[in-house]
Amino acid sequence: MTAAMTESQPSMAAQQDTLIRLQNLTVAYGDVVAVDGVDLTIGAGEILGLAGESGCGKTTVANSIMHILRPPARIAGGGILFRGDDLTAQSAEELRRHRWRNVSMVFQSAMNSLNPVMRVGDQFVDMMRAHERISKSGALDRAGELLDLVGIDRRRIRAYPHELSGGMRQRVIIAMALALRPELVLMDEPTTALDVVVQREILQQIRDLQAELGFAVLFITHDLSLLFEFAHRIAIMYAGEIVEEAPAARLRDEARHPYTLGLIRSFPSLTGPRERMTGIPGSPPDLSSPPHGCRFHPRCPHCTADDTALYRLQTTVRPVLRDIAPAHRVACHLVEQRG
Amino acid sequence: MTASISAPVEVRGLTKHFAAGTGLLRNRSRVHAVDDLTFALRAGTITALVGESGSGKSTVARLLARLYDPTSGSVLFEGNDVTSERSREDVLRYRSRVQMIFQDPFGSLNPVKTIRHHLSRPLRIHERVPRSGMDARLCELLVTVGLVPPEKFLEKFPHELSGGQRQRVAIARALAAEPTVLIADEPTSMLDVSIRVGILNLMLELKERERLAFLYVTHDLASARYVADIVLVMYAGQIVEQGPAERVLQRPLHPYTRLLLASVPDPAAGARERIEVRKGLASAAVDPPAGCRFVERCPLRVGICSEVTPELVAARPGHSARCHVTAPSPAIREDNHVESAHPALPR
């Protein structure tokens, strides 16, 4: 199992079997378009990493798939197809059944989303009985099995959340997310609030469970270095758009979008030479008035007036995602022109 | 004393214990949050204090900022013991020289006050500039932390700035008092990755240009390697390893340092081992018995580890660790015939 954290290729079957497809998904908060025309697929049994800075829209993508957007947020265009069925066309009751059964979610700081005055086991029972016909004792048995699965002593079903450490609570949440055997688990910064050692333990565990149970994961984080080890495929999001997408190893070694490259160069490394890094100058744009043309152009080191024709493209025309290699897509005028 | 010039702050045997539990449940248990720490912060040097939450690293920062009084031990500022100084003037003088930057740039600035207000307050309190020179000094501070043009920022409110800009304001505010020591407690952990490097680079610039002594408290080992000259690794209230940054992070002695390093996602690292999942950090500092506090989680433990508390032993020049196996004291080595360096560790 030593290679479990680094092995980066999903099986061929997984790649062919599309579980969820976002088609030109557009989500607006009032007049502010937070997710602007996102195309993305997740294959069955695949770990897709979605990375970007705060405010880039990555959490909104997850909330759309889970169908838990709250007004003023609304899907302003496009579709979300789960095994070919468009979720945006479904009734509230159909969507209620969709949640947890087909897709479950582990939220950012989920460890605080447990009810503090309810025993852990009872929270499992509540959730399971809301979705399927199961006796209380049957549900408790399942809860015990699930806790075993995530490495917590099953007797802890009698514990209250405050009796568990942050890492254990996060495992409980992951166990709950797996309870109805969903095909897709959305994880939004599930380890951000945790220490490095606990983070690593939990990631190993998610990876083991994923290999055993075969669910797909959409893993959202700002920590790209973590995705290189953990994800099969990675999509990079900037200001509401996907700007690059590739298999994890390829993105690590052959990223092309200047934003992706900037992100990669923002992480100091524990190995190799100690070099001064530059990060990315400036900050992400205000989405109520995003820059014209390429949204990254005000921060892009390659957007200069030297090449007048290119500069005009960069500042007036929105680049579109284009294949530059199998499974590798980039939205960048420079890459398009120079190959 | 020449030593006091190069090391503006020294701590000796610094210790802070808290009572465990609260209210009616309060018992006699003591949490040894910080136990017998001795180190120096030197001018023009960044010292990183690394460890997990609960290791006591933030308590150290607060003790140095004199937000807590130590249970025992002393803090020396420019050679003078300041632990017993209590008068307002003394504390003010110390705090003007030892400034702190907090984790949360959203919480540490007053939302209804302008940047001008935040920066001019320390100048007035510590009487650093005459009223007439105020504007020039404010602009100078903003330029120092890379907020240019400074005029553009003076009248802004915190909510008009990005997270990275706010943290720069917090650093400018700390610099306003003209400190010789800066204590930064996780200054980048709330910031976006693309912004973090900018703050780390600013720390490096300030270290070089202003010859400041920095204590950089963090759980992020890669950023510690990026900025630090010296690394102190803390576990359950004790320093378990200390030495030059590259030595500690490239050739670690203590098994806890190895565990931390193995846990960090590192894109350049290639194939990696799985880490052993073990438990037991939270309670290791509560009424610790004799023996090593890491023993429950340690893959290298031997019999003596749960009996005798290891001392910090210099296993290599300037590089010491608190481990019977990888850095045994001469006495232990004779008693137990353990190797001076464990074969399981990279040399």
Side-chain angles (χ1 to χ4, degrees):
Chain A
M1 285 305 287
T2 47
M5 295 293 288
T6 47
E7 184 227 334
S8 295
Q9 289 305 316
S11 66
M12 288 312 289
Q15 282 178 328
Q16 287 155 5
D17 189 6
T18 299
L19 188 60
I20 210 152
R21 181 186 296 279
L22 306 184
Q23 281 176 329
N24 196 24
L25 179 70
T26 302
V27 183
Y29 290 77
D31 298 331
V32 179
V33 179
V35 172
D36 201 350
V38 163
D39 285 308
L40 204 60
T41 59
I42 306 171
E46 182 184 36
I47 301 181
L48 174 68
L50 183 59
E53 293 171 273
S54 19
C56 73
K58 54 195 193 302
T59 296
T60 305
V61 167
N63 289 348
S64 310
I65 296 173
M66 192 72 178
H67 244 276
I68 49 169
L69 291 171
R70 274 194 214 139
R74 66 197 159 80
I75 292 177
I80 303 167
L81 277 66
F82 186 86
R83 291 211 175 277
D85 298 330
D86 192 349
L87 295 180
T88 56
Q90 291 191 346
S91 71
E93 176 55 27
E94 282 170 317
L95 287 170
R96 192 189 72 78
R97 270 179 305 197
H98 160 73
R99 281 179 219 120
W100 290 95
R101 169 158 301 291
N102 296 337
V103 183
S104 65
M105 187 156 175
V106 176
F107 295 91
Q108 206 164 348
S109 66
M111 47 198 207
N112 300 326
S113 62
L114 289 168
N115 185 338
V117 295
M118 237 175 127
R119 291 182 200 279
V120 165
D122 293 336
Q123 305 195 40
F124 273 91
V125 173
D126 259 14
M127 188 277 292
M128 281 190 250
R129 296 190 68 176
H131 289 273
E132 51 183 53
R133 296 167 79 86
I134 185 169
S135 69
K136 186 175 174 186
S137 63
L140 277 175
D141 282 349
R142 271 271 280 292
E145 283 166 28
L146 287 159
L147 288 184
D148 268 351
L149 207 60
V150 295
I152 294 177
D153 186 338
R154 63 163 66 207
R155 285 169 297 187
R156 293 293 197 133
I157 58 171
R158 307 251 329 137
Y160 287 97
H162 76 265
E163 296 173 295
L164 306 175
S165 70
M168 287 167 84
R169 272 181 290 190
Q170 197 66 316
R171 280 174 231 247
V172 168
I173 294 286
I174 290 167
M176 280 176 99
L178 299 179
L180 301 180
R181 304 245 160 174
E183 288 182 274
L184 174 64
V185 182
L186 309 174
M187 298 191 174
D188 189 359
E189 305 265 10
T191 58
T192 304
L194 304 171
D195 274 314
V196 277
V197 181
V198 182
Q199 165 173 301
R200 180 143 202 103
E201 287 173 2
I202 288 187
L203 291 179
Q204 276 180 187
Q205 215 149 33
I206 295 173
R207 191 78 195 238
D208 291 350
L209 289 169
Q210 191 267 341
E212 191 184 323
L213 304 174
F215 53 86
V217 178
L218 174 65
F219 194 98
I220 294 173
T221 180
H222 67 275
D223 190 346
L224 192 53
S225 61
L226 189 152
L227 289 180
F228 287 142
E229 287 188 26
F230 182 70
H232 298 131
R233 205 154 54 87
I234 300 173
I236 306 291
M237 208 167 168
Y238 184 77
E241 303 172 330
I242 304 286
V243 296
E244 184 158 17
E245 188 193 322
R250 182 166 170 99
L251 196 82
R252 183 189 63 208
D253 301 331
E254 290 173 72
R256 297 299 304 278
H257 198 284
Y259 178 64
T260 313
L261 291 167
L263 277 184
I264 293 172
R265 291 194 198 117
S266 298
F267 290 100
S269 172
L270 276 171
T271 50
R274 288 217 274 187
E275 290 168 335
R276 198 73 153 228
M277 300 183 308
T278 48
I280 305 173
S283 40
D286 178 358
L287 285 178
S288 61
S289 56
H292 290 288
C294 169
R295 292 186 174 178
F296 186 61
H297 88 256
R299 301 174 79 187
C300 183
H302 304 292
C303 181
T304 58
D306 298 348
D307 184 337
T308 327
L310 178 63
Y311 184 76
R312 176 166 308 155
L313 270 181
Q314 288 168 326
T315 52
T316 56
V317 180
R318 260 178 84 174
V320 289
L321 274 173
R322 286 183 206 279
D323 290 310
I324 61 159
H328 189 172
R329 300 192 296 162
V330 183
C332 174
H333 291 302
L334 181 79
V335 173
E336 206 170 303
Q337 282 209 343
R338 310 231 169 120
Chain B
M1 277 177 62
T2 47
S4 63
I5 294 166
S6 63
V9 165
E10 278 185 75
V11 304
R12 293 190 185 155
L14 192 66
T15 299
K16 179 72 184 174
H17 294 174
F18 294 104
T22 52
L24 286 172
L25 296 172
R26 186 181 289 258
N27 52 29
R28 299 248 173 98
S29 289
R30 309 284 288 170
V31 179
H32 293 219
V34 173
D35 239 355
D36 195 20
L37 257 59
T38 298
F39 61 86
L41 300 178
R42 297 183 195 287
T45 302
I46 297 181
T47 304
L49 181 61
V50 302
E52 292 170 273
S53 13
S55 62
K57 56 190 196 303
S58 286
T59 307
V60 174
R62 285 179 195 156
L63 284 165
L64 282 178
R66 302 206 59 189
L67 299 173
Y68 292 151
D69 283 324
T71 306
S72 63
S74 53
V75 176
L76 274 62
F77 181 69
E78 290 173 351
N80 302 313
D81 188 349
V82 296
T83 332
S84 54
E85 288 181 349
R86 302 241 162 244
S87 77
R88 193 182 138 68
E89 291 73 40
D90 286 337
V91 173
L92 200 62
R93 191 175 54 83
Y94 177 81
R95 287 214 181 123
S96 77
R97 293 306 194 166
V98 182
Q99 282 277 316
M100 187 148 174
I101 303 158
F102 296 93
Q103 182 173 16
D104 181 5
F106 304 86
S108 65
L109 299 176
N110 185 336
V112 300
K113 299 289 188 186
T114 60
I115 303 313
R116 173 191 295 280
H117 171 90
H118 284 98
L119 297 186
S120 56
R121 237 169 84 87
L123 291 176
R124 273 186 275 119
I125 291 172
H126 299 296
E127 296 171 352
R128 288 290 184 238
V129 287
R131 205 166 269 276
S132 58
M134 188 66 90
D135 269 30
R137 178 65 181 141
L138 292 179
C139 289
E140 194 185 20
L141 283 168
L142 287 170
V143 172
T144 305
V145 297
L147 293 174
V148 285
E151 302 79 22
K152 202 182 116 197
F153 291 95
L154 271 181
E155 309 309 329
K156 290 211 168 176
F157 290 92
H159 72 86
E160 296 176 278
L161 304 181
S162 68
Q165 290 172 334
R166 272 181 264 201
Q167 198 58 294
R168 284 170 192 270
V169 169
I171 294 171
R173 177 173 59 181
L175 293 176
E178 295 172 27
T180 49
V181 180
L182 268 186
I183 298 166
D185 189 359
E186 303 264 17
T188 64
S189 66
M190 308 263 294
L191 304 176
D192 261 316
V193 283
S194 68
I195 314 289
R196 282 183 195 177
V197 176
I199 299 291
L200 296 175
N201 284 341
L202 176 59
M203 285 171 57
L204 285 168
E205 279 162 34
L206 291 171
K207 165 192 116 162
E208 277 150 29
R209 209 170 47 215
E210 319 274 332
R211 302 285 300 156
L212 289 172
F214 259 102
L215 181 69
Y216 175 49
V217 179
T218 185
H219 67 269
D220 178 359
L221 276 83
S223 74
R225 175 170 186 245
Y226 185 64
V227 297
D229 305 288
I230 304 288
V231 168
L232 312 174
V233 182
M234 243 183 125
Y235 183 78
Q238 295 175 317
I239 290 180
V240 295
E241 180 158 6
Q242 65 182 28
E246 270 311 78
R247 292 256 189 101
V248 172
L249 298 174
Q250 300 297 310
R251 294 173 62 196
L253 287 167
H254 200 282
Y256 177 61
T257 315
R258 292 192 72 202
L259 173 68
L260 278 180
L261 285 166
S263 304
V264 177
D266 193 358
R272 289 145 53 93
E273 301 165 26
R274 290 173 66 84
I275 60 162
E276 273 297 296
V277 179
R278 285 168 190 268
K279 293 151 186 88
L281 169 71
S283 57
V286 182
D287 296 329
C292 173
R293 292 184 189 175
F294 188 62
V295 67
E296 294 289 323
R297 301 169 84 183
C298 186
L300 307 179
R301 64 172 176 267
V302 292
I304 189 176
C305 297
S306 36
E307 291 154 19
V308 180
T309 308
E311 301 286 319
L312 263 179
V313 173
R316 300 169 186 154
H319 183 182
S320 44
R322 199 183 277 280
C323 177
H324 289 312
V325 179
T326 62
S329 68
I332 299 278
R333 201 181 304 164
E334 262 172 38
D335 288 356
N336 292 272
H337 310 287
V338 280
E339 295 288 319
S340 64
H342 194 274
L345 289 171
R347 293 300 307 266

